[in-house]
């Protein structure tokens, strides 16, 4: 994970740097980590049976030899070492009687014999590190030493001291004792008859279970969330090898994936005496592509690029919600006037508008005491717009602008921001700096009532909401990421109970995702969440082809166990791949190209991880130069139904001498 570029004059803002020409010399190898190397962990031995339980153990076997990983880059042959407080991995479930036979897992190595680590993607028992909790016993407290409490205390209005159940590790289970074998005897004919009867019963059970499974799919099968929202889709179900069914998305491969430039939006001129202006915010419908400019939002024809409408604003847009209601409405924060060197202005105005017409539905402010709140972030969930900051928050009805609720502020706690989409989640900060405790609260968007809460370990200063359903939060625990990415760990949290499901270690030197949990609570890139899995891009490393190409992969983590699923999608030599969003159970990803080719959009099957090319952009130099400036870590990239929109989030007076663009659109067909 890399540190974003810094703009002139203002901390945390500015255009991304121009891409460097391809190097002629071999890139330097990455520096070695300063942390001591951990010994390879052998696969965990099967759980020991208590005395007198079960059959005698089988002879130990050596683990199978795995192929070596690709040269260069992070060591992808092992699961990342867990961070502080990493929970115990749960024991694997027992094999279902009707499941297809599978190769048995490797047994514990023979003492003193050679030990071969499993290959890349093999789920492993994470090694113990500092603070690693032991297997809990009945009666022991839960995480962070807090006693376990039953969920279900009375709900309290949002902003008051909320309830929450500290995470408690599940108690270990004792394997059930198998029934002893029945005494022998009987004639051969009777034994044969018993075998036939047993086979018939087994077939009936399998058929019955299949009918039950096909009719038992509940709401959980429909939950597919991502960084930019759910694209829906429930077509083409297939088995993914994990015991469930995957549903294909809406995005289908065209007969010819070759794309052409649909239109380009020239970069706007910034006002006099202004170095950089934020142009955050882009949205798409089947008919409109909308993009923030300098003190305006403009709607373009989705295919032709002609202007359909313009929403004029008195000042520049500060932040914009990625989420859109079903009827095409969204929200922004903007400044009441154009900033100057002597009067930079604050982001006090919140507005909702219609993407179809560009009509401003309303514009409101909120106050703390007598002073207007300067907001840092805004989101939409259901019919509610919520904005937050260090000085206060507020929520409004997206249609009427009616004030719905505001968090209770005090000297001890405040809401730093909100995540939207399928659910609404607040990141509430309590305590002083360096003694901070973050409360991750699922709240009712209509009245702000706290529905559940998870309290993070004390000392974590910032957290970003990656997904609200399933609930996933990213944080840099102990500033251990070390690369400015804002991520050292992901926390998978149960929305209903507020309990921690699992914690996933994601070292910065191995993974390329990044989040801005300081002010832009929902702003993350390089990842997607869906089908109860986290899909994340790895860091670039040396490729396997000729020359000095770079490449990376997308890997998946199970949000219930915290382990890698073993799935892996390779970018290919010279390309780097970045997840954009979910499409049903599939992952839509963008491939940044080498210097002599155009970028690609692919769909990664959620079960097989097979890649299907949806688009390949032109390789002409004039087009490549524009595309190359839209860095996935900083630009806004939207794809749907054969159209790709890439746009910048800043307008600047700085110029490379070439003609620059605010946005570029590609299309197939």
């Amino acid at each position: 994970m890399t540190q974003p570029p810094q703009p002139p004059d203002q901390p945390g803002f500015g255009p991304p740097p121009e891409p460097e020409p391809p190097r002629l010399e071999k890139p330097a190898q990455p520096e070695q980590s300063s942390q001591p190397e951990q010994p390879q962990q052998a696969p965990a031995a099967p759980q020991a049976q208590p005395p007198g339980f079960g059959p005698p153990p089988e002879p130990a076997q050596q683990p199978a030899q795995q192929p070596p990983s690709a040269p260069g880059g992070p060591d992808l042959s092992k699961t990342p070492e867990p961070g502080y407080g990493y929970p115990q991995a749960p024991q694997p479930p027992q094999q279902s009687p009707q499941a297809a036979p599978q190769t048995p897992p490797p047994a514990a190595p023979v003492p003193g014999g050679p030990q071969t680590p499993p290959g890349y993607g093999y789920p492993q028992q994470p090694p113990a590190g500092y603070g690693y909790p032991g297997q809990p016993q009945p009666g022991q407290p839960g995480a962070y030493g807090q006693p376990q409490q039953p969920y279900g205390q009375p709900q309290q209005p949002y902003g008051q001291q909320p309830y929450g159940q500290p995470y408690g590790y599940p108690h270990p289970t004792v394997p059930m004792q198998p029934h002893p074998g029945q005494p022998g005897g009987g004639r051969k004919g009777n034994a044969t008859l018993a075998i036939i009867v047993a086979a018939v019963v087994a077939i009936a059970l399998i058929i019955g279970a299949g009918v039950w499974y096909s009719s038992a799919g509940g709401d959980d099968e429909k939950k597919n969330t991502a960084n930019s929202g759910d694209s829906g889709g429930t077509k083409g179900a297939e088995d993914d090898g994990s015991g469930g069914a995957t549903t294909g998305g809406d995005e289908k491969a065209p007969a010819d994936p070759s794309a052409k430039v649909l239109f380009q939006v020239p970069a706007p001129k910034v006002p006099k005496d202004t170095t950089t202006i934020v142009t955050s915010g882009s949205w798409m419908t089947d008919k409109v592509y909308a993009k923030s400019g300098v003190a305006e939002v403009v709607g373009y024809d989705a295919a032709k690029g002609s202007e359909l409408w313009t929403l004029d604003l008195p000042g520049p847009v500060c932040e914009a919600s990625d989420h859109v209601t079903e009827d095409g409405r969204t929200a922004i924060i903007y400044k009441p006037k154009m900033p100057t060197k002597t009067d930079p202005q604050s982001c006090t105005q919140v507005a909702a508008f219609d993407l179809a017409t560009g009509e401003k539905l309303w514009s409101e402010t909120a106050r703390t005491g007598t002073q207007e709140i300067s907001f840092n972030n805004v989101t939409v969930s259901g019919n509610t717009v919520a904005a937050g900051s260090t000085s206060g928050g507020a929520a409004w009805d997206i249609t009427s602008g009616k004030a719905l609720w505001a968090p209770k502020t005090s000297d001890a706690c405040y809401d730093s921001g909100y995540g939207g989409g399928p659910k609404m989640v607040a990141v509430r900060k309590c305590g002083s700096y360096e003694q901070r405790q973050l409360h991750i609260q699922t709240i009712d968007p209509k009245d702000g009532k706290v529905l559940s809460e998870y309290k993070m370990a004390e000392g974590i200063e910032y957290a970003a909401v990656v997904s609200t359903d399933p609930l996933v939060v990213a944080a840099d625990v102990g500033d251990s990421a070390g690369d400015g990415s804002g991520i050292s760990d992901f926390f998978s949290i149960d929305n209903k109970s507020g309990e921690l499901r699992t914690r996933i270690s994601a070292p910065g030197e191995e993974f390329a995702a990044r989040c801005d949990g300081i002010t832009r609570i929902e702003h993350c890139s390089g990842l997607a969440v869906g089908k109860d899995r986290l899909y994340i891009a790895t860091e670039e490393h040396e490729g396997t082809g000729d020359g000095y190409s770079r490449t990376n992969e997308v890997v998946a983590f199970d949000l219930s166990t915290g382990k890698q699923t073993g799935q892996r999608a390779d970018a290919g030599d010279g390309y780097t791949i970045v997840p954009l969003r979910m499409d049903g159970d599939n992952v839509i990803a963008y491939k940044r190209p080498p210097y002599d080719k155009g970028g690609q959009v692919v769909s990664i099957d959620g079960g097989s991880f097979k890649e299907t090319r949806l688009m390949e952009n032109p390789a002409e130099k004039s087009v490549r130069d524009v595309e190359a400036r839209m860095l996935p870590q900083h630009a806004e990239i939207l794809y749907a139904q054969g159209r790709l929109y890439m746009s910048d989030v800043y307008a600047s007076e700085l110029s490379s001498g070439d003609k620059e663009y605010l946005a570029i659109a590609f299309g197939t067909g």
Side-chain angles (χ1 to χ4, degrees):
M1 306 181 193
T2 56
Q3 176 71 27
Q6 298 297 322
D9 298 340
Q10 299 184 34
F13 293 90
E18 298 294 332
E20 297 181 359
R23 298 179 181 270
L24 300 180
E25 71 279 4
K26 185 173 181 179
Q29 295 295 326
E31 297 180 357
Q32 297 295 325
S33 173
S34 60
Q35 298 185 357
E37 182 178 356
Q38 298 290 336
Q40 286 287 347
Q41 296 290 324
Q47 184 172 349
Q49 301 282 357
F53 282 74
E58 296 182 2
Q61 300 177 6
Q62 296 295 339
Q65 182 72 27
Q66 299 290 336
S69 60
D75 182 3
L76 299 178
S77 65
K78 63 182 179 67
T79 300
E81 297 175 8
Y84 170 76
Y86 196 96
Q88 284 279 11
Q91 296 296 328
Q94 295 182 353
Q95 180 76 18
S96 174
Q98 63 266 28
Q102 297 182 1
T103 303
V110 177
Q115 299 184 11
T116 304
Y120 171 79
Y122 187 90
Q124 300 183 19
Q125 180 80 9
Y130 173 73
Y132 190 91
Q135 180 68 29
Q137 301 298 327
Q140 284 187 340
Y144 313 123
Q146 298 177 3
Q148 297 188 13
Q149 300 176 12
Y151 179 79
Q153 299 180 23
Q155 296 180 351
Q156 300 183 24
Y158 182 65
Q160 297 183 10
Q161 184 63 34
Y163 63 85
Q165 179 182 6
Y167 175 66
Y169 295 99
H171 298 308
T173 57
V174 178
M176 295 186 64
Q177 183 176 2
H179 293 289
Q182 297 295 331
R187 291 177 297 174
K188 181 177 180 180
N190 291 339
T192 303
L193 179 60
I195 293 173
I196 294 174
V197 173
V200 172
V201 173
I203 293 173
L205 289 174
I206 293 173
I207 295 174
V211 173
W212 178 87
Y213 181 81
S214 65
S215 62
D219 294 338
D220 290 342
E221 293 295 327
K222 302 178 182 179
K223 294 178 181 178
N224 296 291
T225 62
N227 198 32
S228 57
D230 178 21
S231 296
T234 56
K235 306 173 184 177
E238 60 179 302
D239 185 12
D240 71 347
S242 64
T246 61
T247 54
D250 294 334
E251 307 296 345
K252 305 301 179 184
D256 181 5
S258 299
K260 62 181 180 180
V261 176
L262 298 178
F263 61 89
Q264 299 176 95
V265 179
K269 294 182 179 180
V270 299
K272 184 180 179 181
D273 298 329
T274 302
T275 303
T276 301
I277 290 289
V278 174
T279 58
S280 178
S282 60
W283 307 266
M284 65 181 300
T285 69
D286 56 344
K287 297 180 180 180
V288 177
Y289 170 68
K291 174 62 187 170
S292 295
V294 174
E296 65 179 6
V297 179
V298 181
Y300 303 91
D301 183 281
K304 301 176 183 178
S306 55
E307 292 189 17
L308 300 178
W309 51 260
T310 299
L311 171 59
D312 292 316
L313 301 169
V317 174
C318 302
E319 285 297 330
S321 174
D322 293 331
H323 305 291
V324 179
T325 63
E326 293 182 357
D327 56 355
R329 299 177 178 186
T330 191
I332 56 174
I333 302 171
Y334 64 94
K335 295 183 177 182
K337 296 180 181 179
M338 292 301 298
T340 63
K341 288 184 178 181
T342 58
D343 187 8
Q345 293 293 311
S346 297
C347 302
T348 57
Q349 312 295 308
V350 180
F353 67 96
D354 191 314
L355 286 170
T357 63
E359 176 190 2
K360 183 195 289 185
L361 304 176
W362 50 265
S363 180
E364 296 290 344
T365 62
R367 294 178 178 272
T368 297
T370 59
Q371 187 171 1
E372 289 187 341
I373 298 173
S374 180
F375 294 104
N376 299 130
N377 53 77
V378 63
T379 195
V380 173
S381 179
N383 206 43
T384 298
V385 175
S389 73
T390 58
S391 56
W396 301 267
D397 182 277
I398 197 169
T399 302
S400 64
K402 176 184 176 182
L404 298 179
W405 49 264
K408 181 179 178 181
T409 58
S410 66
D411 294 337
C413 298
Y414 66 90
D415 286 10
S416 62
Y418 305 96
K423 296 184 183 296
M424 182 164 284
V425 173
V427 178
R428 188 166 178 83
K429 290 190 174 186
C430 295
S432 59
Y433 185 75
E434 295 185 349
Q435 291 184 329
R436 190 83 68 194
Q437 186 175 52
L438 303 183
H439 300 185
I440 310 301
Q441 300 174 334
T442 299
I443 61 179
D444 188 328
K446 296 179 181 180
D447 56 17
K449 182 181 295 183
V450 177
L451 304 178
S452 67
E453 177 181 68
Y454 170 69
K455 295 181 180 180
M456 303 186 76
E458 190 175 293
I460 300 176
E461 189 66 27
Y462 305 107
V465 178
V466 177
S467 168
T468 61
D469 188 18
L471 178 53
V472 180
V473 172
D476 186 359
V477 181
D479 297 324
S480 58
D483 59 354
S485 64
I487 304 173
S488 67
D489 296 84
F490 293 95
F491 297 78
S492 174
I493 303 168
D494 187 281
N495 279 106
K496 294 181 179 179
S497 67
E499 293 183 351
L500 179 67
R501 301 174 65 199
T502 191
R503 177 172 170 176
I504 299 171
S505 177
E509 67 271 15
E510 295 185 31
F511 297 99
R514 59 183 307 108
C515 289
D516 180 4
I518 299 176
T519 57
R520 306 170 71 189
I521 299 301
E522 288 187 290
H523 188 72
C524 294
S525 63
L527 47 72
V529 173
K531 204 197 172 191
D532 211 31
R533 291 176 181 173
L534 167 67
Y535 301 93
I536 183 171
T538 67
E539 279 286 4
E540 294 183 25
H541 57 82
E542 185 177 345
T544 58
D546 297 333
Y548 302 100
S549 65
R550 306 286 289 173
T551 189
N552 76 327
E553 301 80 26
V554 170
V555 296
F557 287 87
D558 189 305
L559 290 175
S560 63
T561 66
K563 294 182 178 181
Q564 288 195 34
T565 64
Q567 297 165 305
R568 166 175 168 171
D570 297 312
D573 278 326
Y575 291 87
T576 53
I577 188 169
V578 180
L580 298 178
R581 63 172 177 87
M582 300 301 296
D583 174 37
D585 287 339
N586 301 336
V587 182
I588 302 299
Y590 171 73
K591 286 188 176 183
R592 183 169 171 81
Y595 70 94
D596 58 346
K597 296 182 180 180
Q600 298 178 359
V601 176
V602 298
S603 175
I604 304 173
D605 186 273
S608 66
F609 248 48
K610 177 183 177 182
E611 296 179 34
T612 300
R613 187 177 303 175
L614 303 177
M615 172 180 286
E616 182 164 12
N617 294 336
E620 286 83 356
K621 184 179 184 303
S622 59
V623 178
R624 287 191 283 109
D625 287 347
V626 179
E627 183 177 5
R629 290 188 175 96
M630 305 295 181
L631 300 176
Q633 298 90 337
H634 311 294
E636 295 169 342
I637 303 179
L638 305 175
Y639 175 86
Q641 302 302 318
R643 293 171 184 164
L644 174 69
Y645 303 91
M646 308 178 73
S647 62
D648 208 343
V649 293
Y650 302 101
S652 174
E653 67 176 6
L654 302 178
S655 175
S656 62
D658 299 330
K659 188 172 183 180
E660 298 183 3
Y661 294 90
L662 178 65
I664 184 170
F666 300 92
T668 58

